[in-house]
Amino acid sequence: MPHDPSSRRWQTFLFLGLFIALVAFRIWLILGVPKYYINAPHDDLYYARVAHYLIHGQWLGPYDAYTLIKAPFYAFFLIFSYFTGLPLLLNETLFYVLACLVLYLALQPVIPARWWRLLLFTLLLFLPAGITSMWALRVYREHVFLSLTLFVLAFSIGLLFRIQGPLRSVWVWSLGLGLSMAAFMLCREEGVWIYPLIFLLLLVCFLAVRRSAKQERFPRLVQVFLPVLLWSIPILVVSALNYSYYGFWGISENLDRDLNRVLNTIYRIKTPDWKPYHPVNEEILSQAYEASPLFAQLKPYFGSFENWIYYSDRTLSVKPDWYLEDYFVPGQELAGSHFLWMFRDVLQAAGYLEGGRFPREYLQQTADQLGSACESGALDCYPVSNIPMVGSIQSRHIPLVIHFLATNFQRLLAYEHTMAAPFTLDISTWRAEEESFRYFDEFTYNPIASEQIGRPITSEQLIAGRVDLRIKALQFKAQVIDLIYSIYMESTQPLVILLLVGWVLFVLVRVVFKTGRLAAPEGWTLALVSGFFLLRMGTLAVMDATTSVPAIHYAASCYIYLYLLIGLSFKALWTGMSGYLPRPPRKDPASSDAQAPG
């Protein structure tokens, strides 16, 4: 029976109406919500200051211990947001909505049914981590990183399933992957975790291109390798600018080989009780002073560990109970990931940064002296295994990595310590104005002035004796957001359990009936998303096992992969099992008419 054109038009209007309504509701949720300011010189305030210097033509600003501590993409985003004249949170939200839309389009060859794709779109659109979690409300890179994660995944899927399609359409996905990867790599310092899967993806595309018609092979090969060129150029430009201004080649000093050789050699000095987070104390430093005359020059500038140990202990206290019981003794040692920041301050206090250039020669020679002391036995050291931001990893870390992988997955499902929980929208509980907040006000276009934040309701927030409607609206939106958060939190674990049961049944059906399989596009997509998920979770587990950093706080992007796996798996199982589901018998229209009463 042919489809009724009017019925199809009605369904299209219904679909578009629902699509637009979902996007409009998502945007409405954050309209009027201000950004939350934190005077954190290593984090939020760092980006506001860098953006300030950038927009005034001073690149990343005067050189000091903070100038090159992080990759700069979020500062670029702050400047872009400033030029739009729109609130920062609105721009970050529109950026995320655009990423969801790109994924919706990318999945078309995998899931032609638009209603299934709309379901996935909705799951990601209202992800709690992207609405008003602590990360979303702070002037910090995690919200934008969430979007970049989705962009990279979407363009990867789009390129993979279109590489043999019309040439004109492939360019969009090739360009998109290159540009999104460039931003991704310039957003966080540990972005190399994504390389294995991206290069494997490009290899699969390359093999597919070899089967193309001869006249199309060259342009398709360009489309395969173009992303690598596109993401390399911005990294090289940023590195060159850093070298021109500061004598440092790279996107962040925290990835520098010589700086990490100094730090990691100090972490390798053996202590009576091994701790996985590379603790540093006065005894370890004393040994390093004796082994390296150059390092000994810093001794007068280290001062007391007390303040840094306080922050180190606070960070470690977020670790799981089983970890704290075995390794953590508060108030005694400074974890290696915090010693990094103390060491940078010491370098500045000692005058090694005064020339406005990266102290390459000093760090190189100091690293050589400490390394030679380990090799000669002057220092009793663990084996060499120097990984930036991780330190010296040993075989004893491997069981911890596996344990953290399992623990973090449980925490992810339970929304525990993931920074995905909604942050209160009661601005009277936020911090009061500080002088440094002027850096934030320069870029955020907050819908509520920072002077009103952190203070109880006053006459300034009353209109004719009534509370300002903007503040009342925040209270209502907080209730809506709490409801969305509760739905996700309460349903995630049951959905994962149901999904596991579904996969078991699918395997049993395959074994018993020796038939039925996943469609190739669905299987490839599940493998790709699973790979991204495992690589990201594995990276966070390594960080958790080897540093004091509570890496689960940075797992917000993992929810993208998790909910995609849930949605894609249910779609694949529904398709794969549909042949075994009972169906109502079809009626023959002709016979029905013959039997109808006269």
Side-chain angles (χ1 to χ4, degrees):
M1 181 177 180
H3 292 287
D4 183 1
S6 62
S7 174
R8 295 191 64 177
R9 283 196 298 269
W10 180 84
Q11 290 182 24
T12 300
F13 286 136
L14 176 63
F15 179 86
L16 289 175
L18 182 57
F19 197 101
I20 293 170
L22 288 169
V23 171
F25 180 66
R26 173 66 178 84
I27 293 172
W28 171 83
L29 276 175
I30 57 88
L31 289 177
V33 177
K35 274 287 189 177
Y36 177 60
Y37 301 165
I38 296 182
N39 184 9
H42 296 90
D43 296 311
D44 308 45
L45 185 57
Y46 166 80
Y47 281 110
R49 281 178 172 165
V50 166
H52 171 84
Y53 289 123
L54 273 166
I55 207 166
H56 287 90
Q58 296 175 271
W59 189 224
L60 306 183
Y63 186 65
D64 60 20
Y66 299 99
T67 307
L68 296 172
I69 60 175
K70 294 187 185 295
F73 179 78
Y74 186 64
F76 302 157
F77 190 90
L78 288 178
I79 293 172
F80 162 79
S81 179
Y82 163 79
F83 280 116
T84 67
L86 299 173
L88 175 60
L89 184 57
L90 175 59
N91 280 325
E92 290 180 351
T93 301
L94 292 174
F95 194 53
Y96 182 73
V97 171
L98 178 60
C100 292
L101 178 60
V102 172
L103 181 70
Y104 171 85
L105 297 173
L107 286 172
Q108 196 275 333
V110 183
I111 306 176
R114 59 186 177 182
W115 290 102
W116 271 105
R117 283 185 287 137
L118 180 63
L119 176 61
L120 289 174
F121 175 83
T122 306
L123 270 176
L124 296 181
L125 189 66
F126 292 95
L127 205 67
I131 302 181
T132 51
S133 68
M134 171 69 84
W135 286 134
L137 287 186
R138 286 173 59 174
V139 184
Y140 197 56
R141 59 186 174 183
E142 292 306 310
H143 195 191
V144 168
F145 183 72
L146 192 72
S147 302
L148 292 176
T149 299
L150 193 47
F151 272 119
V152 170
L153 177 62
F155 283 115
S156 297
I157 293 172
L159 181 62
L160 178 64
F161 292 107
R162 290 171 175 83
I163 191 61
Q164 292 181 306
L167 280 170
R168 185 175 299 177
S169 67
V170 182
W171 287 113
V172 175
W173 301 99
S174 178
L175 288 166
L177 180 58
L179 295 175
S180 59
M181 272 293 292
F184 183 91
M185 297 304 298
L186 288 171
C187 192
R188 288 194 61 88
E189 294 75 50
E190 82 282 7
V192 293
W193 66 268
I194 206 170
Y195 275 162
L197 206 54
I198 291 295
F199 283 125
L200 182 60
L201 171 87
L202 295 178
L203 176 62
V204 172
C205 292
F206 171 75
L207 295 176
V209 165
R210 292 184 62 187
R211 291 179 290 181
S212 303
K214 286 186 178 182
Q215 64 273 21
E216 292 186 352
R217 283 182 190 172
F218 179 74
R220 291 189 188 279
L221 286 174
V222 172
Q223 291 169 338
V224 171
F225 293 108
L226 180 62
V228 181
L229 177 66
L230 285 178
W231 86 58
S232 300
I233 290 175
I235 293 173
L236 291 173
V237 170
V238 169
S239 298
L241 285 168
N242 284 339
Y243 186 78
S244 173
Y245 277 84
Y246 313 115
F248 171 78
W249 183 272
I251 63 172
S252 169
E253 285 178 352
N254 289 348
L255 299 175
D256 181 69
R257 180 176 181 271
D258 292 320
L259 175 64
N260 279 281
R261 279 204 302 145
V262 173
L263 295 171
N264 293 346
T265 306
I266 292 173
Y267 302 157
R268 289 168 51 209
I269 298 175
K270 290 185 177 180
T271 54
D273 297 319
W274 179 78
K275 302 287 178 59
Y277 49 85
H278 308 302
V280 179
N281 53 34
E282 296 286 358
E283 180 185 346
I284 288 175
L285 290 185
S286 296
Q287 295 182 53
Y289 297 146
E290 293 181 11
S292 169
L294 283 173
F295 187 75
Q297 294 176 9
L298 303 178
K299 184 175 181 180
Y301 304 98
F302 268 102
S304 172
F305 276 41
E306 189 173 325
N307 187 47
W308 279 106
I309 288 177
Y310 167 76
Y311 289 106
S312 176
D313 285 354
R314 282 186 59 186
T315 304
L316 279 165
S317 66
V318 183
K319 300 281 189 180
D321 291 339
W322 58 264
Y323 183 91
L324 299 177
E325 291 171 1
D326 290 341
Y327 302 109
F328 181 50
V329 180
Q332 294 186 6
E333 298 168 320
L334 178 61
S337 48
H338 283 81
F339 178 74
L340 160 67
W341 306 116
M342 184 180 189
F343 180 68
R344 299 180 69 91
D345 288 347
V346 168
L347 284 175
Q348 179 160 317
Y352 284 103
L353 309 184
E354 286 181 356
R357 310 292 285 180
F358 181 68
R360 170 70 63 199
E361 185 176 350
Y362 172 79
L363 291 172
Q364 197 172 60
Q365 293 177 5
T366 303
D368 290 341
Q369 288 181 355
L370 290 170
S372 298
C374 284
E375 292 174 8
S376 66
L379 286 175
D380 189 12
C381 301
Y382 295 113
V384 179
S385 180
N386 294 329
I387 303 175
M389 304 179 67
V390 169
S392 180
I393 191 167
Q394 302 172 34
S395 59
R396 283 183 285 188
H397 282 108
I398 295 175
L400 293 177
V401 171
I402 296 172
H403 201 162
F404 267 112
L405 192 59
T407 301
N408 286 348
F409 183 67
Q410 294 172 354
R411 285 180 156 189
L412 197 72
L413 297 184
Y415 276 79
E416 179 186 350
H417 293 301
T418 59
M419 292 286 193
F423 183 63
T424 175
L425 295 185
D426 180 4
I427 62 172
S428 65
T429 65
W430 294 10
R431 299 188 183 201
E433 182 189 13
E434 300 179 22
E435 180 66 21
S436 61
F437 283 7
R438 295 176 64 185
Y439 285 106
F440 295 112
D441 281 333
E442 192 172 13
F443 296 100
T444 57
Y445 289 113
N446 257 1
I448 295 178
S450 59
E451 290 83 357
Q452 295 179 301
I453 293 176
R455 298 177 181 178
I457 301 296
T458 64
S459 59
E460 295 177 358
Q461 296 168 278
L462 299 178
I463 301 176
R466 301 285 184 178
V467 177
D468 189 326
L469 190 60
R470 294 172 298 173
I471 298 173
K472 297 284 286 183
L474 289 179
Q475 297 170 350
F476 174 72
K477 289 185 178 184
Q479 296 175 356
V480 177
I481 291 165
D482 283 340
L483 176 61
I484 292 172
Y485 171 77
S486 298
I487 291 172
Y488 275 80
M489 186 182 68
E490 297 296 333
S491 63
T492 300
Q493 291 193 57
L495 282 175
V496 171
I497 293 172
L498 184 62
L499 189 61
L500 293 174
V501 172
W503 279 115
V504 170
L505 290 175
F506 180 77
V507 171
L508 287 176
V509 166
R510 287 268 295 150
V511 170
V512 173
F513 294 97
K514 295 182 174 56
T515 186
R517 63 177 60 192
L518 296 180
E522 292 178 345
W524 277 101
T525 308
L526 282 169
L528 184 65
V529 177
S530 299
F532 278 121
F533 182 61
L534 291 174
L535 279 174
R536 183 58 179 163
M537 289 293 289
T539 301
L540 297 177
V542 170
M543 293 173 63
D544 253 324
T546 57
T547 71
S548 60
V549 174
I552 189 65
H553 281 185
Y554 305 101
S557 58
C558 294
Y559 283 111
I560 288 175
Y561 306 128
L562 177 64
Y563 288 113
L564 267 178
L565 283 174
I566 290 174
L568 289 169
S569 294
F570 275 117
K571 172 62 173 66
L573 289 173
W574 176 265
T575 305
M577 298 286 285
S578 60
Y580 304 100
L581 296 176
R583 297 181 180 180
R586 293 184 178 181
K587 293 183 178 180
D588 183 355
S591 62
S592 299
D593 292 341
Q595 295 175 6

